[in-house]
Amino acid sequence: MLVMCCWGQGSVATSACCCVQYDLAVLATQGCSTCVECVLLLGWLLNAVPWAARLQYLQHLNASKLGTVPLQFMEYGTLTNAYTRVSAEPGAFGGAWTVASSIQAAANGVSRVFHWKLFDNVDTPVNSTPNSTQRRLYYSNAFVAAAARKVFADADHAQILQTESAETLAKPTGSTMRSPGNLSASAMGAWSQDATIFSLMASVFATHKNASAQTVSKFRFSCGTVAERTGRAAADACEGSYGATGLYLTRERSPYDVILQEAQQNNWTRFNDGEVYSLGGMLNSAGQAALPQRAARYLGLQRDLFTPSQLPTDVVHVECSAGNCELSLTATPPTVIAVRIDVTRRTQ
C-alpha cells in the first residue's frame, strides 16, 4: 500500500512543503506503520539533511520500491519575509529567489513544483474572486515561468551551467553603495534542436534586498552540441562575440517594486518596512483607492517586462573562443535574465 506523506519547512525567508509516497510494508520494517508515525520516526532527517536531499535519502532507503517515485514540491514559494509578515515576494527579489532555488531543486532531483497564487487583480486587490474581466498584475514567479517557457520552447533538456561566483565591482571613492551580502549566481541552459540557438536563464540573488553595488557573474557553456549536430568543428561553430535577446527582471523593471516606491512617496504603504507584498498586503486604503487610476501605468510596465528585447551589451556580453563560450552578466542583485543567443549571428 502506498501513502502520501507531507511536511513543511519554514524560515523567515521561505517555506516549502515536500511530499513523497511511501510503501507501508517497507516503512513497517523501519518501525512505523502510518504516515504520521513515519514522519515522526524520520523527524531527525528534516533537520539533518538539506530539503531536496531529504527526499533523495528516503528513496535510497529502498531503491527498488521508492527509486521511481518522483520528487516534487507542493505549495512552492515564500511564506514570510524577514519581518515574519506573509509575503509571496512578488517583486524582483522573489523572481531571483525562484530561479536560484529552482535550479538547486533540479540539481537534487526534484522534477516538478506546484506554485501558490501567481497574480493580483489591480481593479479589486483585496478579497476578489478571479474572473476573465479583471486586469491582472503577475507576480515575479509567474514571470520566471513565462520567461522559461519563452526561451526554452524549442530547446533540449536544460543543464545547470558552470558558474563563477559573483564579485562586487570596485566602488567609487566615497560611494554609499550597499554590499549585496551573500551572493548566489545560478544558471541553466540548453541548445535548440537545430543547434543554432543557446537558451539561458540566470539569477543573481543576494541576501540584502536593498543592495546597490553592481556585481559581475560569469556563466560558461560549450559548443560541442553544435559540432555534433552540424559536423563542424566546435572551435569553428562558436567564435567571437554574440548578442542576447530575451527578458530581464530588475527592481527598476518590476511593477511591484515600482508600486512600492510610489506608495512610499505618497504614504500609501500599510507597513513602513520597505518590503514588497501583494497589492492588498502592501497598500493601505488610500493606496488601494488610487490603484485603479494608476493601473494602466503598472500594466504597461508589465507589458514591457514580458516583451523580449535585445539586452544591452554592458549588461550581457557573450564571448566564444575555441568552442567554449562565456556569458558575463553585470547587474545589481536581484536580477533575472532569460535570453536566446543566436550563434549564427556574430556581432564581432
Side-chain angles (χ1 to χ4, degrees), residues 181-227:
N182 295 325
L183 281 166
S184 168
S186 310
M188 55 185 175
W191 284 99
S192 60
Q193 295 292 334
D194 62 4
T196 62
I197 303 290
F198 188 79
S199 298
L200 178 145
M201 173 170 275
S203 161
V204 179
F205 175 74
T207 53
H208 290 176
K209 289 186 177 181
N210 59 347
S212 57
Q214 281 191 324
T215 64
V216 176
S217 304
K218 298 180 179 180
F219 311 101
R220 299 182 178 92
F221 57 96
S222 169
C223 292
T225 299
V226 179

Side-chain angles (χ1 to χ4, degrees), residues 106-183:
N108 286 277
V110 175
S111 61
R112 184 178 296 181
V113 298
F114 296 86
H115 289 273
W116 285 1
K117 183 181 177 183
L118 297 174
F119 62 87
D120 285 323
N121 298 313
V122 296
D123 298 298
T124 52
V126 181
N127 299 327
S128 60
T129 301
N131 64 61
S132 59
T133 64
Q134 292 170 328
R135 295 178 292 178
R136 296 177 176 179
L137 200 63
Y138 286 92
Y139 296 171
S140 55
N141 56 358
F143 166 82
V144 170
R149 183 180 291 269
K150 181 75 173 178
V151 300
F152 290 112
D154 58 349
D156 292 335
H157 292 295
Q159 302 292 322
I160 297 174
L161 302 184
Q162 179 185 355
T163 301
E164 182 177 309
S165 298
E167 298 178 355
T168 304
L169 295 176
K171 299 179 184 178
T173 303
S175 171
T176 58
M177 291 181 177
R178 276 208 57 167
S179 168
N182 295 325
L183 281 166

Side-chain angles (χ1 to χ4, degrees), residues 39-159:
V39 173
L40 292 176
L41 178 68
L42 297 177
W44 63 271
L45 186 63
L46 303 185
N47 296 316
V49 186
W51 39 272
R54 296 169 188 157
L55 302 182
Q56 288 184 322
Y57 180 86
L58 293 173
Q59 285 186 320
H60 295 160
L61 290 178
N62 191 321
S64 64
K65 294 285 187 178
L66 303 178
T68 59
V69 175
L71 307 184
Q72 302 177 349
F73 283 156
M74 311 296 172
E75 300 180 355
Y76 172 67
T78 61
L79 180 60
T80 59
N81 59 24
Y83 295 91
T84 67
R85 296 185 176 118
V86 174
S87 174
E89 294 288 0
F93 180 87
W97 178 89
T98 298
V99 174
S101 59
S102 295
I103 290 175
Q104 289 301 312
N108 286 277
V110 175
S111 61
R112 184 178 296 181
V113 298
F114 296 86
H115 289 273
W116 285 1
K117 183 181 177 183
L118 297 174
F119 62 87
D120 285 323
N121 298 313
V122 296
D123 298 298
T124 52
V126 181
N127 299 327
S128 60
T129 301
N131 64 61
S132 59
T133 64
Q134 292 170 328
R135 295 178 292 178
R136 296 177 176 179
L137 200 63
Y138 286 92
Y139 296 171
S140 55
N141 56 358
F143 166 82
V144 170
R149 183 180 291 269
K150 181 75 173 178
V151 300
F152 290 112
D154 58 349
D156 292 335
H157 292 295
Q159 302 292 322

Side-chain angles (χ1 to χ4, degrees), residues 122 135-137 294-304:
V122 296
R135 295 178 292 178
R136 296 177 176 179
L137 200 63
R294 303 169 74 94
R297 164 169 157 73
Y298 303 139
L299 292 168
L301 290 173
Q302 176 171 266
R303 194 174 304 109
D304 292 341

Side-chain angles (χ1 to χ4, degrees), residues 282-328:
M282 184 160 50
L283 301 175
N284 58 24
S285 57
Q288 291 174 25
L291 182 62
Q293 288 73 42
R294 303 169 74 94
R297 164 169 157 73
Y298 303 139
L299 292 168
L301 290 173
Q302 176 171 266
R303 194 174 304 109
D304 292 341
L305 182 66
F306 280 77
T307 301
S309 62
Q310 185 80 22
L311 272 67
T313 55
D314 60 341
V315 175
V316 174
H317 178 73
V318 183
E319 191 72 31
C320 299
S321 178
N324 293 302
C325 299
E326 181 178 270
L327 182 146
S328 296

